[in-house]
Amino acid sequence: SYVLAQTPSVSAAPGQTARITCGGHRIGTISVNWYQRKPGQAPVLLIYSDRNRPSGIPERFSGSNSGDTATLTISEVEAGDEADYLCQVWDTSSAHVIFGGGTKLTV
Amino acid sequence: EVQLEESGGGLVQPGGSLRLSCAASGFSFSDYAMSWVRQAPGKGLEWVAHITSSGDTTYYADSVKGRFTISRDNSQNTLHLQMNSLRAEDTAGFLCAKHRGAGAYYAMDVWGHGTTVTVSS
């Protein structure tokens, strides 16, 4: 079934911009969702359908998707952004929900 | 407040069974698809099973197909996961999640905190 590839870890200094990528074959043709997960907490939906933010998610979080790469961009990174970030798609061919392996952001 | 609360986890021997439940509140449960997702120790999130809002269509991960059954009771706002023939590799925290719409295409916008399943002799 469809595979999503994420870099295991990314680091950014406070105030910088962090970019977290999610690779997949022609991922630009399907809808990508992004989640944040902190230890001991429930996952939080950050971005749905490539670039849409649910209410309550700061504008610092943005998404894009083209070609073989979807990207989550976190602007003006804060210490509180330190977490695991996961991408997710619905693979219609296998009828499976697919998660990427996750990227740990260190601030 | 929109909430999901899982229950039913515990310690079970290999080959045993367990039934998880997820109680939903604060939203119109019957309008939304639901999924179970798990996280094994030291691993990432793994989708387990999905059920559409009406309950007429279900999907399963290959690793659980034929052993797990997802179901829902829209009159009781409850989601279930019947797990049979449990294996050590099923040991994980199991979370239920609400989708933003009636089917699996939609993102999961509400999550429970999870219930722990440990399969060991």
Side-chain angles (χ1 to χ4, degrees):
Chain A
S1 60
Y2 196 77
V3 175
L4 295 175
Q6 293 189 248
T7 303
S9 64
V10 164
S11 62
Q16 288 189 332
T17 296
R19 291 181 178 83
I20 296 170
T21 60
C22 177
H25 179 64
R26 299 185 64 197
I27 196 173
T29 63
I30 56 178
S31 181
V32 177
N33 308 307
W34 289 93
Y35 303 88
Q36 177 193 67
R37 187 152 197 219
K38 297 180 180 179
Q41 297 186 21
V44 173
L45 176 64
L46 291 176
I47 298 288
Y48 66 92
S49 300
D50 297 339
R51 58 181 64 250
N52 299 286
R53 279 187 313 276
S55 61
I57 300 301
E59 292 183 7
R60 301 187 297 107
F61 294 89
S62 62
S64 62
N65 187 14
S66 178
D68 290 334
T69 305
T71 303
L72 172 70
T73 301
I74 309 172
S75 305
E76 300 175 345
V77 166
E78 303 172 355
D81 297 333
E82 194 161 278
D84 288 326
Y85 292 86
L86 301 100
C87 55
Q88 176 258 313
V89 301
W90 167 247
D91 178 27
T92 55
S93 62
S94 65
H96 282 25
V97 171
I98 308 293
F99 284 100
T103 297
K104 180 174 177 55
L105 173 65
T106 300
V107 180
Chain B
E1 182 186 3
V2 177
Q3 275 191 321
L4 297 172
E5 185 169 358
E6 304 90 340
S7 61
L11 174 64
V12 61
Q13 292 188 339
S17 298
L18 215 52
R19 189 188 196 213
L20 305 184
S21 296
C22 171
S25 60
F27 64 98
S28 180
F29 182 70
S30 61
D31 287 342
Y32 298 96
M34 300 291 294
S35 280
W36 285 99
V37 176
R38 68 184 179 184
Q39 184 167 24
K43 301 290 181 103
L45 293 181
E46 178 191 17
W47 169 74
V48 173
H50 172 89
I51 188 167
T52 53
S53 58
S54 63
D56 60 357
T57 302
T58 57
Y59 304 109
Y60 296 93
D62 296 343
S63 57
V64 307
K65 196 167 187 177
R67 300 188 298 124
F68 290 12
T69 302
I70 188 172
S71 63
R72 65 191 296 159
D73 184 343
N74 284 345
S75 68
Q76 298 292 319
N77 294 341
T78 305
L79 177 73
H80 300 289
L81 184 69
Q82 177 65 44
M83 304 187 295
N84 299 331
S85 303
L86 282 161
R87 306 166 180 166
E89 54 264 36
D90 294 317
T91 294
F94 282 74
L95 303 92
C96 64
K98 164 191 168 292
H99 288 260
R100 294 186 67 253
Y105 170 84
Y106 296 92
M108 291 167 273
D109 63 344
V110 180
W111 295 72
H113 284 82
T115 186
T116 300
V117 172
T118 303
V119 184
S120 175
S121 54

